[in-house]
C-alpha cells in the first residue's frame, strides 16, 4: 500500500451536520421568499437527500411532488433562481456561525496539517458554501488549508458518481492509493470507492441506516479523547477516536476492508 499523503473530506454531514437545520431551512426560506407554499419537513428532506445536489433535489421534488406546477420562466431558470436564493440564505446562516463543525474535525485537521498531510474537499454542495463553512466554523483563512476544493458543478456528475473525487485528486496530482476519504453517506461511500479510495464513515442522523458495506470504518462520530465514538463496523485496534494513527491503520488495511454490517 502506498504511503498516506492526502485526506479528502466530504462536507455536508462529514465536516458539519449541515442538512436538517442548515440546507433544509435555507430551502424553505427560499420557497417562502418566492411565494411558494412548499415546506420541506425534516422527514421529507431525509427522503429528498437521496438526490445529491440542491438544484437536482428541487427538480426531483417538482417532478415527484408538484407535477402540475408550471415553473414560471421554464424549469431551468426557475430552479436556478430558487437555488441561488437558497444559497444566499444558507450563506447568511453560516455567517452567523450557526452551523458548528462535528466533534473531532478541528482536532484531526490540525493534526494532519502538523504532520504535513495534504488536505482536499470533494463535495456536492456549492463552492461558496464550502468556503463559508470553513471560514466561519473553522477559522478565518481555513479554506486555504485545503489545496483543492472540488465542489458542486465543477464535477460533470454529482455523487454517487466518482467524478468529484477524481477531480480533487487530479487537482492535487495524487493517486487514490495515497488518499483516504471521509464521508457520511452511502452516496458518498459509492463516490469515493468508485474513485478507488479507502473510505471512513461517520454516520449522521439522516444516514445512520444506510448501507456502508465496503467502508474501511463506520463510526457514529469522529470522536474526541474525552468523547469516544461507537464503532458500527470495522476494526479500530482499540482506538476510541479518529486520529492520524487510526487513519493510517485504516488506510493500510486497504480499500473495501471488512467494515460491513452484514446487511
Ligand atoms: C450534500 C449534498 C448537497 C447539499 C445541498 O453534499 O447533496 O447538495 O445537500 O447543497 P456532500 P447545494 O454530502 O457531498 O457535501 O444546495 O449547494 O447542492
Ligand atoms: Mg455528505
Amino acid at each position: 500500500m502506498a504511503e498516506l499523503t492526502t485526506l479528502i473530506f466530504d462536507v455536508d454531514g462529514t465536516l458539519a451536520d449541515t442538512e436538517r437545520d442548515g440546507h433544509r431551512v435555507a430551502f424553505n426560506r427560499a420557497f417562502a421568499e418566492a411565494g411558494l407554499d412548499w415546506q420541506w419537513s425534516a422527514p421529507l428532506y431525509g427522503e429528498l437527500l437521496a438526490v445529491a445536489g440542491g438544484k437536482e433535489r428541487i427538480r426531483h421534488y417538482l417532478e415527484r411532488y408538484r407535477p402540475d406546477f408550471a415553473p414560471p420562466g421554464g424549469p431551468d431558470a426557475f430552479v436556478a433562481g430558487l437555488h441561488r436564493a437558497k444559497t444566499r440564505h444558507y450563506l447568511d446562516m453560516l455567517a452567523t456561525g450557526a452551523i458548528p463543525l462535528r466533534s473531532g474535525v478541528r482536532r484531526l485537521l490540525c493534526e494532519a496539517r502538523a504532520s504535513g498531510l495534504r488536505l482536499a474537499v470533494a463535495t456536492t454542495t456549492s463552492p461558496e458554501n464550502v468556503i463559508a463553512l470553513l471560514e466561519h466554523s473553522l477559522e478565518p483563512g481555513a479554506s486555504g488549508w485545503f489545496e483543492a476544493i472540488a465542489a458542486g458543478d465543477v464535477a460533470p456528475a454529482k455523487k454517487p458518481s466518482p467524478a468529484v473525487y477524481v477531480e480533487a485528486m487530479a487537482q492535487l496530482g495524487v493517486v487514490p492509493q495515497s488518499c483516504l476519504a471521509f464521508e457520511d453517506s452511502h452516496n458518498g461511500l459509492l463516490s469515493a470507492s468508485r474513485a478507488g479510495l479507502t473510505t471512513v464513515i461517520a454516520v449522521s442522523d439522516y444516514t445512520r441506516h444506510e448501507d456502508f458495506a465496503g467502508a474501511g470504518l463506520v463510526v457514529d462520530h469522529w470522536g474526541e479523547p474525552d468523547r469516544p465514538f461507537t464503532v458500527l463496523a470495522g476494526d479500530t485496534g482499540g482506538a476510541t477516536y479518529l486520529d492520524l494513527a487510526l487513519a493510517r491503520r485504516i488506510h493500510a488495511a486497504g480499500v473495501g476492508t471488512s467494515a460491513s454490517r452484514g446487511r
Side-chain angles (χ1 to χ4, degrees):
M1 192 66 176
E3 180 196 2
L4 178 65
T5 64
T6 307
L7 306 183
I8 306 181
F9 292 86
D10 165 53
V11 175
D12 295 302
T14 299
L15 293 183
D17 261 328
T18 58
E19 295 290 3
R20 189 192 63 200
D21 301 331
H23 287 297
R24 181 182 68 91
V25 172
F27 279 111
N28 287 335
R29 288 177 181 170
F31 300 154
E33 185 180 86
L36 300 166
D37 65 349
W38 308 349
Q39 280 296 296
W40 286 357
S41 67
L44 172 60
Y45 192 68
E47 184 189 315
L48 296 173
L49 271 174
V51 178
K55 293 189 290 293
E56 295 79 356
R57 197 166 301 142
I58 295 170
R59 196 180 290 274
H60 167 74
Y61 174 74
L62 280 172
E63 290 160 7
R64 170 84 169 68
Y65 291 94
R66 302 283 175 171
D68 301 330
F69 179 79
D76 292 349
F78 175 78
V79 168
L82 211 45
H83 191 251
R84 279 194 300 273
K86 173 264 173 183
T87 299
R88 175 169 35 83
H89 285 290
Y90 185 65
L91 291 171
D92 287 348
M93 296 170 78
L94 290 175
T96 67
I99 300 176
L101 297 178
R102 294 192 71 176
S103 61
V105 168
R106 178 186 296 278
R107 170 184 52 72
L108 180 61
L109 291 174
C110 291
E111 187 183 358
R113 280 166 51 80
S115 299
L117 288 185
R118 304 173 75 182
L119 300 177
V121 160
T123 176
T124 304
T125 194
S126 314
E128 58 265 46
N129 293 346
V130 182
I131 291 165
L133 177 73
L134 296 173
E135 293 294 319
H136 294 295
S137 299
L138 186 47
E139 66 181 58
S143 59
W145 297 5
F146 296 80
E147 290 182 53
I149 296 180
D153 296 334
V154 76
K158 300 282 171 62
K159 297 176 184 177
S161 159
V164 71
Y165 277 96
V166 170
E167 172 62 27
M169 291 188 288
Q171 289 185 27
L172 289 173
V174 296
V175 294
Q177 291 78 4
S178 61
C179 300
L180 184 66
F182 295 75
E183 272 284 355
D184 73 300
S185 69
H186 175 68
N187 271 346
L189 172 61
L190 286 183
S191 177
S193 303
R194 288 169 178 172
L197 285 86
T198 299
T199 305
V200 292
I201 300 286
V203 299
S204 58
D205 288 346
Y206 276 131
T207 67
R208 183 171 308 282
H209 301 296
E210 292 182 351
D211 180 2
F212 294 112
L217 177 68
V218 185
V219 291
D220 61 342
H221 58 82
W222 302 119
E224 292 288 12
D226 61 354
R227 184 177 176 234
F229 52 39
T230 298
V231 179
L232 304 175
D235 176 8
T236 69
T240 59
Y241 59 94
L242 198 129
D243 61 359
L244 272 196
L246 179 53
R248 294 189 192 282
R249 173 191 178 91
I250 301 299
H251 173 259
V255 175
T257 49
S258 61
S260 66
R261 293 194 260 173
R263 286 174 172 271

